Amino acid sequence: MQTQQRISHFVSLDDLSTVEIERLIARGLELKQGAPPHRTVTKTVANLFFEHSTRTKCSFEMAEHHLGLHVLPFETATSSVQKGETLLDTCKTLEAIGVDALIVRHGETGYYERLQEQLRIPIINAGDGSGQHPSQSLLDLMTMYEAFGHVTGKTIVICGDLRHSRVARSNAHVLRRLGATVIGSGPREWFDDTLGIAYQEIDEALTSSDIIMLLRVQHERHLDDQSFEATVYHQRYGLTHERMARIRPEAIVLHPAPVNRGVEIAEELVEHPQSRIFDQMTNGVFARMAILERAFDEPTTKETI
Ligand code: CP
């Protein structure tokens, strides 16, 4: 018999208990209030972004800076990925040279499954294809808890490009686990039945929701559809000034960003008092600090194999 330490991967909120998710939300909020971070100065991490990013990459870097972590510079464009090295071999190489955790964004849905089997260091998923975006989900939850203290009994509409959205997938699952009602809206042909949520027309959905989560139209994943027109989308499914005037006075508006201003939301409404879009970005730093702390926390459980 051999005793093996549990590795604190963070690839999907589905793998965490609701108690652990609530603890991470509370820890993120505590860090935002100024609680001292668990400094992890002896650890080294690397950020591997195989897809473009501004918020996730920069806020992980900011979180790493606040925690005192060493960050090994890694850019896919100048690495041996360009010679055809696989993701698995790239990650195994970084583990072999002493990196203690990897933050990875990759276009392949579920890319982390093989990595989890082969690596003995934590993988933190910064977004996989149309699979999961758990750190985004955690910062979204922090933003909702800041507004309401909880999500139990709240109604959340996720509106837009649901079929391609890892943000929608992560949030739909975790919000229901935490006791919220989640509905989907936007173009019916972009709705995804596998999310396990009901569809509602936009005008009905917006007026009955406490939290309005708009999704970016992922133009890069609609290359075969030449019929898209931004102004038509905005009028049919966007948060226009007219629709904004009809939402609940206490409702909040979220968007993972980048925002297509004038498409998912009217240009000026991004800065509306009920919009929490830039608060989400601020919360992203503290959510990611909590996630990184967890990766290096002393394990509370040991598994015997
Ligand atoms: N919300 C989000 O994931 O943004 P980035 O693609 O800029 O990281």
Side-chain angles (χ1 to χ4, degrees):
M1 279 233 279
Q2 187 188 346
T3 300
Q4 190 180 59
Q5 275 192 351
R6 186 188 291 276
I7 302 166
S8 295
H9 296 299
F10 185 81
V11 296
S12 166
L13 291 182
D14 294 347
D15 299 338
L16 276 65
S17 68
T18 53
V19 170
E20 203 170 3
I21 293 166
E22 300 258 15
R23 193 187 64 76
L24 280 173
I25 297 167
R27 180 62 183 154
L29 291 171
E30 192 177 88
L31 286 163
K32 189 175 181 181
Q33 301 292 316
H38 305 162
R39 285 177 64 81
T40 44
V41 287
T42 57
K43 303 290 185 185
T44 300
V45 300
N47 302 306
L48 281 64
F49 279 71
F50 293 82
E51 284 188 336
H52 294 169
S53 170
T54 297
R55 275 144 293 274
T56 311
K57 185 167 189 284
C58 294
S59 56
F60 264 116
E61 288 172 353
M62 188 62 89
E64 290 153 5
H65 171 75
H66 288 322
L67 293 173
L69 287 160
H70 297 284
V71 183
L72 192 73
F74 180 91
E75 292 298 336
T76 53
T78 53
S79 75
S80 288
V81 169
Q82 300 304 325
K83 301 178 201 164
E85 189 162 37
T86 63
L87 174 63
L88 178 63
D89 282 336
T90 303
C91 292
K92 288 186 73 162
T93 301
L94 292 169
E95 178 184 34
I97 66 175
V99 171
D100 298 297
L102 296 169
I103 295 90
V104 183
R105 171 173 286 192
H106 198 279
E108 183 190 331
T109 301
Y111 72 80
Y112 47 77
E113 280 161 20
R114 274 195 77 200
L115 302 188
Q116 279 181 299
E117 282 167 21
Q118 298 237 3
L119 299 181
R120 307 302 306 152
I121 57 173
I123 305 296
I124 297 173
N125 181 12
D128 63 294
S130 51
Q132 299 287 328
H133 198 346
S135 66
Q136 175 72 43
S137 209
L138 190 64
L139 73 89
D140 292 339
L141 289 168
M142 272 180 67
T143 311
M144 296 176 205
Y145 276 56
E146 271 185 326
F148 301 109
H150 60 89
V151 293
T152 310
K154 297 291 176 194
T155 300
I156 292 111
V157 59
I158 308 179
C159 180
D161 197 351
L162 281 99
R163 187 152 43 93
H164 294 107
S165 178
R166 53 198 176 206
V167 176
R169 190 164 307 282
S170 293
N171 274 315
H173 289 187
V174 73
L175 284 164
R176 284 184 302 143
R177 287 176 67 202
L178 294 172
T181 300
V182 185
I183 50 185
S185 192
R188 190 70 185 80
E189 63 276 21
W190 291 358
F191 185 65
D192 185 345
D193 291 315
T194 67
L195 293 173
I197 59 176
Y199 177 86
Q200 225 170 50
E201 293 298 337
I202 185 73
D203 288 302
E204 188 188 351
L206 289 182
T207 51
S208 59
S209 292
D210 304 292
I211 297 155
I212 295 162
M213 182 179 289
L214 306 171
L215 299 176
R216 181 175 73 88
V217 177
Q218 300 194 29
H219 294 293
E220 69 277 22
R221 303 192 212 267
H222 287 284
L223 296 174
D224 53 340
D225 179 8
Q226 301 300 313
S227 64
F228 180 83
E229 285 186 43
T231 49
V232 173
Y233 181 94
H234 185 60
Q235 282 310 316
R236 282 197 189 156
Y237 309 112
L239 187 58
T240 59
H241 287 274
E242 294 73 28
R243 290 192 177 110
M244 189 76 186
R246 293 200 299 271
I247 72 169
R248 292 179 175 176
E250 70 283 8
I252 59 169
V253 176
L254 308 183
H255 189 308
V259 177
N260 295 305
R261 286 181 185 246
V263 182
E264 300 98 31
I265 178 169
E267 164 93 39
E268 308 76 17
L269 296 182
V270 176
E271 284 81 17
H272 189 279
Q274 286 172 268
S275 162
R276 296 289 180 277
I277 295 173
F278 287 97
D279 300 294
Q280 286 174 271
M281 298 178 203
T282 305
N283 288 341
V285 175
F286 301 101
R288 288 166 179 133
M289 286 174 74
I291 293 164
L292 287 162
E293 282 186 346
R294 173 182 176 272
F296 297 120
D297 273 350
E298 287 301 313
T300 51
T301 329
K302 290 207 173 192
E303 285 182 343
T304 303
I305 56 171

